[in-house]
Amino acid sequence: MNVSDVICFDILVSAMKAENQSFGTDFLLVGLFQYGWTNSLLFVVIATIFTVALTGNIMLIHLIRLDTRLHTPMYFLLSQLSMIDLMYISTTVPKMAVNFLSQSKTITFMGCEIQAYVFLALGGTEALLLGFMSYDRYVAICYPLHYPILMSKKICCLMVACAWASGSINAFIHTMYVFQLPFCRSRLINHFFCEIPALMSLVCQDTSHYEYTVLLSGLIILLLPFLAILASYARVLIVVFQMSSGKGQAKAVSTCSSHLIVASLFYATTLATYTKPHSLRSPTRDKVVAVFYTIMTPLLNPFIYSLQNKEVAGAMRRLLG
C-alpha cells in the first residue's frame, strides 16, 4: 500500500466516523493538504497570514475614518473594500486553521450552508465594488471637473448599496438551490471550506443545467466588472500619457496600477473556478487557486493601496505623530 492509498484510507475512516457521530448530517472537510506532518507548520503560516491581513485592513479602515483628508469617494470605496476583505478572510481561514490541529474536521450542515452563503455574498460584493472603484478613478482622471457631481456622496452610497444587494441576492439564490439538492451518503468535501463548486460533486443527480446558471452568474458578476475595469483603465492610460505633467502621469499610473494588480489577481482566479465545467475540475488545483482569492487578495489589498499611495502613507505618519 503506497502513501496515497494510506492517506485516502485515513480520510475515508475519518469520514465514516464523522458520519456515524453526526447521523449523516455533517460534512467533512478534507482541507488544503492531507499530510499530517505539515499541519502544525501550516497552522502557524495561516494564522500569521490571517493576523497580518486583519491588522492591515483594520488599520486602513481606522486611518480613513480618522483622517478628514481621506474623506473622499475613493477612500470611502476603499474602506468598504477593506471591510469586505476583513469579513471575507474571517469566513474561511479560522475554520481552516483549526482543522489543521483537529482530528475532527466536520462542519454541520447549517454551518456549511451559512459559510457558503456568506462567502459567496462577500465575493460577489467585492467583484462589483472593484468595478465601481475603477469607475471612480476613470471619472477622476478623465473628467476631473465633473468629478464632484458624478461621484457625489449619494452616488457613492448607491454604488455600495447596489454591490451589497446584488452580491447578497445572487448568493441567496445559489445557496438555497444547492442545499435543497440530494447529497450522496459520502459527505466528504475535497476542499478547505464549503464552496459551491466543491459541493456540486456530492450531489446525487444531474447538475449540468445548473452549471449553466453558475456560468451565467460568473459572467455577470465577475467577467463584466473585469471587462469594465480593463476598458476604463485603457481609457485612463490614454488620457494619462497625453498629460504634459510627468508628476501627474506618475501619480495616475501608480494609483491605477495598484488597483489593476489587485483586480487581476481576484478576477482571474475566481473566473478560473466559477466558469469552469465540472468535467474539467481538479480538486487539488481548485484548492490552490482558491488560496489566492480567499487568503492572498484580502492580505495584499491594504498593503498595495497603502504602500503605493502617498495620501495613505501621509495619514499614517500624521497618526503616528
Side-chain angles (χ1 to χ4, degrees):
M1 183 179 289
N2 57 32
V3 176
S4 61
D5 291 336
V6 173
I7 292 167
C8 291
F9 178 74
D10 290 341
I11 293 172
L12 288 173
V13 170
S14 299
M16 290 173 64
K17 289 180 178 178
E19 188 171 336
N20 289 334
Q21 292 172 357
S22 60
F23 304 100
T25 60
D26 292 357
F27 291 101
L28 181 75
L29 295 169
V30 171
L32 189 58
F33 298 106
Q34 290 88 52
Y35 300 98
W37 62 272
T38 61
N39 283 351
S40 299
L41 176 61
L42 284 171
F43 173 80
V44 173
V45 172
I46 294 298
T48 303
I49 291 174
F50 180 64
T51 304
V52 173
L54 285 185
T55 304
N57 283 291
I58 290 172
M59 285 183 64
L60 191 54
I61 294 171
H62 191 57
L63 276 177
I64 294 171
R65 186 178 66 85
L66 290 181
D67 198 309
T68 54
R69 301 181 190 185
L70 301 182
H71 291 180
T72 63
M74 173 184 171
Y75 293 107
F76 171 70
L77 296 175
L78 181 55
S79 67
Q80 290 292 314
L81 179 64
S82 290
M83 191 185 306
I84 291 171
D85 284 337
L86 200 61
M87 294 184 287
Y88 198 53
I89 197 169
S90 299
T91 303
T92 58
V93 171
K95 176 64 176 173
M96 174 187 178
V98 169
N99 283 350
F100 283 136
L101 302 180
S102 173
Q103 294 297 323
S104 174
K105 303 181 188 300
T106 58
I107 182 171
T108 64
F109 185 90
M110 181 61 70
C112 187
E113 187 172 12
I114 292 172
Q115 186 183 57
Y117 167 74
V118 173
F119 177 82
L120 200 58
L122 292 172
T125 303
E126 178 160 346
L128 294 171
L129 186 65
L130 287 171
F132 289 138
M133 291 175 70
S134 71
Y135 171 76
D136 170 75
R137 292 299 84 205
Y138 167 74
V139 173
I141 294 172
C142 298
Y143 302 99
L145 297 179
H146 299 283
Y147 184 76
I149 299 173
L150 295 176
M151 287 301 296
S152 64
K153 185 177 180 180
K154 182 179 179 180
I155 292 177
C156 282
C157 292
L158 188 61
M159 285 180 173
V160 171
C162 178
W164 278 101
S166 301
S168 300
I169 293 171
N170 176 68
F172 181 80
I173 293 171
H174 284 287
T175 306
M176 289 297 103
Y177 179 79
V178 169
F179 280 86
Q180 58 84 36
L181 294 173
F183 290 101
C184 300
R185 183 170 179 78
S186 174
R187 298 206 169 191
L188 187 68
I189 303 175
N190 196 355
H191 213 313
F192 57 87
F193 72 102
C194 291
E195 190 174 26
I196 296 297
L199 287 164
M200 295 309 297
S201 61
L202 305 183
V203 176
C204 296
Q205 70 179 42
D206 180 35
T207 59
S208 56
H209 293 294
Y210 174 67
E211 284 186 26
Y212 290 113
T213 307
V214 175
L215 176 62
L216 180 62
S217 295
L219 293 177
I220 295 173
I221 300 291
L222 297 171
L223 186 59
L224 287 183
F226 188 42
L227 292 177
I229 289 172
L230 294 178
S232 63
Y233 282 133
R235 175 59 181 163
V236 164
L237 288 176
I238 293 173
V239 173
V240 164
F241 286 108
Q242 290 175 346
M243 293 179 179
S244 58
S245 169
K247 194 173 183 180
Q249 288 180 0
K251 182 178 179 182
V253 170
S254 175
T255 302
C256 295
S257 62
S258 62
H259 186 191
L260 198 55
I261 290 170
V262 175
S264 298
L265 178 63
F266 177 79
Y267 287 111
T269 52
T270 50
L271 281 168
T273 297
Y274 286 91
T275 60
K276 187 186 298 181
H278 181 72
S279 57
L280 300 178
R281 291 189 176 280
S282 166
T284 302
R285 186 169 59 244
D286 288 347
K287 286 189 285 186
V288 173
V289 171
V291 168
F292 286 95
Y293 59 82
T294 58
I295 300 174
M296 298 310 297
T297 300
L299 172 67
L300 294 176
N301 273 349
F303 297 102
I304 287 179
Y305 280 107
S306 60
L307 292 177
Q308 294 197 10
N309 194 303
K310 294 180 180 179
E311 293 174 336
V312 174
M316 175 66 76
R317 286 194 296 270
R318 287 191 293 272
L319 183 65
L320 298 176

